[in-house]
Amino acid sequence: MIYYWETSKSEIQSIVTNKINNCATIRDPFREDGRNAKYLVLGSGFDIETSRIETPEFTTAYCYHWQMSFGRITVGGRTLETMADFFRFIVGLIPYGTRLLCFDANLGYEYQFCKHFWGAIGMSHLFTKEKRQPLRLIVGNRIELRECLGLFGNNLAQVGKNYSKVPKLVGDLDYDLVRLSTTPLTRKEQDYCENDVQILSYLGEYVFEHFYGDNPTLPMTATGIIRNKVKKELGENLPFEKQRIQNNLPDEETYNMFRNYLFRGGICGTNARYMNKTLENVVCADYTSDYPACMNHYQFPDGWIMEIPTENFMEYKNIPYIAMIEFHDLRSRSTHSLMSVHKAIAFDFSNPNDYTLDNNRIFRAKQATFIVNDIDFIALCKAYMFDINKTKIIRAWRLEKYTRLPHHVLDVLNHEYLVKEQLKKNGQSKTLEYADSKKVVNGMYGMCVTAIYNEEFDIENDEIAPKKEEDGTVFKKEYKDAIQNVFLNPFWGFWITSYARALLMDIITRFPKPIVQYDTDSIYYLKDHPDTPALEKFIADYNKDIMDLNRILFNGNEHYLDLGAWEIEKPYKRFKGLGSKRYMVETQDGEIKTTVAGCRKGTIEEQFKWNLENDAIPKDSDIFDFFTDGMVVTKEHSHKLASKYVDDYNGSVYENIVYKDFQGNEEEILLSSAIVLEPVEFRMGVDPDHVDFFETLQMFYRNAPKSSPICKIYEEIVYGETEVH
């Protein structure tokens, strides 16, 4: 049950006072304010419920209910004014030097509604990497609000499933109904509110059991948990390793340039030849644990970095190199365009006749400048042709040596991978232990690519804003100060993605014709294509070599046997690709599965079904025909929400209005800053360059002599072979 502050204030004061006074405390030796750093050992959570408010002057939202948990006790209220009153009571109750750790499943949302009320009590110790997304803030120097999503799950339902004894309830609050502070709530609706914070109480209890006392403090981010594991593995060698890595970092300008242009993600796309076509008998091959495999199987840069004469680029074998290269007459060797124009450090868009783009990836370019390492360069040479006489190296660097990743990284990674695989093979893949180990395995790469930040945020007039100097200019931390916590070589992360891309680019360029789609660590290919037997033999030979290597690396431990091997799935009945991370499959059992960036799984099928049932499309329509350029998932089915921030009302942070709830009851309410969640449609908009790719090639084909390489490419795309006219 929920105890309401407005009606049971004396009872709540007695219950909560007794709870806090009899609560144990635990020290956090890592807390930034040093002395008397203690937390109440008490699981706590905070949440609010809101309604959309529309007037002729503005669209905003109103908080009609708040709830806060203390172990199994839940306190609630109906206005933000009573929330602030309750927070003041808690702040006055907790002793100096002690804090209540209170979890929130979307702290940025609660902050936007509550910031002026919390600001009146006092906000401090902000931690955030984005203006409107605080990960921690402290109210009244006693209540420490912490974001839990990302750290313990992607949504509250997932947190509840993994850490709580109560589930996240669904379907009990219709958000389209306007509720105000006097709108009665049913028992189901109250249960919904209560469960949301009870989940957070259980999470808090888990945190105190696993992250305090003899264990490291609770980090702000998921990668922080992994960083602490690696630091623990380093032990007393941590100061030495930090100094070694920091001494070998490039200067700030060079680091930022490499971060922006050398560091790239995975390769995703559709073979232009099969774009927007429904195919049969397509097979998926997945690369098992892509990044962990690369971290174990390859060598990585270590030691100092220095700029070298351009003629010395790749002068010696087995030395890490980086170069800024101006490519001339660059052209893909196949129907696959694999280099992203967004990662070109220089690209001339002035003359459309000088380039051809396929979904923002370069098919050909008269001139393009990239920063590449030696792994990228070798892969690029396999995938593209260019004029070697015109192409020039503008700048070049080398690092000291190649070596395996250090033990303090690999030991943590491989221990967690072993735990994950053992649990999986024991049928425990739905356990919390499995989820935690999987998180560490997947997060090791993320830890290696954590950016070096020199910006800081502060709270100014209740708003999160860049920290300012005394003269009002934006504060920028000196690079030498920003790197003080760095103990991992950023080049490791850059090279991990290079190895993963090179692996994918290698197999695509060996077998370009049967491969129809690729997505970071997987390829989709035509089972019945003439080149497929050779492709599958290549995969089988590759797997044998990888498994032999794993037996050596891991002393024959079978749990590591398939690390980095290709796993071939059963052929799909049908397949259709529409570009990067946009494809649909039908299994042999008739199940439809879609992967579309920005569109939640199942929504396309939901929209198609609705269209059929409401005669919006013919009854004999096929979902594969529906899945095409211009396809629309309406806002009623998209489950997509756009956030609109309301910071004030004509310059005032508060606004009094009279409004009616869904039952017709009229009430005067006080509005404050808010977030309005607007349902939005999803529209499948295939990039025009992707759509026009064939037409562009056709133009070149008509105007070029038959001996031109462009003719061969066009004929391969259209006919699947050359010399067809």
Side-chain angles (χ1 to χ4, degrees), residues 4 101 203 352:
Y4 281 96
L101 182 64
L203 174 62

Side-chain angles (χ1 to χ4, degrees), residues 477-507:
K477 188 183 291 186
E478 293 285 340
Y479 183 65
K480 62 182 176 60
D481 297 322
I483 67 174
Q484 287 307 303
N485 291 322
V486 174
F487 70 103
L488 300 166
N489 188 335
F491 292 100
W492 296 342
F494 301 167
W495 253 254
I496 290 169
T497 59
S498 293
Y499 282 126
R501 284 193 305 275
L503 178 81
L504 212 59
M505 289 173 75
D506 179 61
I507 199 167

Side-chain angles (χ1 to χ4, degrees), residues 158-178:
Q158 190 179 66
V159 173
K161 183 178 178 181
N162 288 339
Y163 299 95
S164 174
K165 294 180 181 178
V166 298
K168 163 101 174 122
L169 298 181
V170 295
D172 292 310
L173 280 181
D174 183 347
Y175 290 100
D176 291 331
L177 300 179
V178 175

Side-chain angles (χ1 to χ4, degrees), residues 382-555:
K382 292 179 182 178
Y384 284 82
M385 294 181 287
F386 51 89
D387 189 328
I388 192 68
N389 295 314
K390 293 182 181 177
T391 294
K392 56 186 178 183
I393 300 173
I394 301 173
R395 297 177 69 183
W397 298 262
R398 64 157 288 189
L399 290 98
E400 184 178 355
K401 59 184 177 180
Y402 269 124
T403 184
R404 291 199 74 204
L405 289 178
H407 286 292
H408 56 267
V409 173
L410 289 180
D411 287 354
V412 173
L413 169 66
N414 294 331
H415 169 74
E416 297 296 338
Y417 185 85
L418 178 60
V419 171
K420 179 178 79 76
E421 289 300 297
Q422 287 174 329
L423 290 167
K424 183 178 179 180
K425 290 175 181 178
N426 290 337
Q428 297 173 276
S429 60
K430 297 189 181 299
T431 64
L432 177 58
E433 290 77 13
Y434 178 83
D436 284 347
S437 288
K438 185 176 180 180
K439 185 186 300 180
V440 174
V441 171
N442 294 340
M444 290 296 290
Y445 157 74
M447 174 190 69
C448 292
V449 294
T450 301
I452 298 171
Y453 291 99
N454 63 355
E455 292 185 355
E456 290 186 9
F457 290 88
D458 209 344
I459 297 174
E460 183 178 321
N461 298 322
D462 303 337
E463 303 289 349
I464 296 174
K467 190 175 180 180
K468 301 281 195 347
E469 300 279 10
E470 289 185 3
D471 62 1
T473 59
V474 174
F475 168 81
K476 290 280 187 181
K477 188 183 291 186
E478 293 285 340
Y479 183 65
K480 62 182 176 60
D481 297 322
I483 67 174
Q484 287 307 303
N485 291 322
V486 174
F487 70 103
L488 300 166
N489 188 335
F491 292 100
W492 296 342
F494 301 167
W495 253 254
I496 290 169
T497 59
S498 293
Y499 282 126
R501 284 193 305 275
L503 178 81
L504 212 59
M505 289 173 75
D506 179 61
I507 199 167
I508 291 170
T509 52
R510 286 175 188 268
F511 308 99
K513 293 181 181 179
I515 294 176
V516 301
Q517 187 86 22
Y518 31 93
D519 189 354
T520 307
D521 58 357
S522 61
I523 58 170
Y524 294 80
Y525 61 88
L526 293 165
K527 179 66 176 175
D528 300 326
H529 194 278
D531 291 351
T532 293
L535 186 156
E536 291 187 334
K537 183 181 185 303
F538 174 82
I539 288 176
D541 292 342
Y542 180 91
N543 283 354
K544 181 181 181 303
D545 292 342
I546 283 294
M547 290 179 180
D548 288 344
L549 175 61
N550 286 338
R551 288 188 181 95
I552 296 170
L553 289 176
F554 302 105
N555 298 317

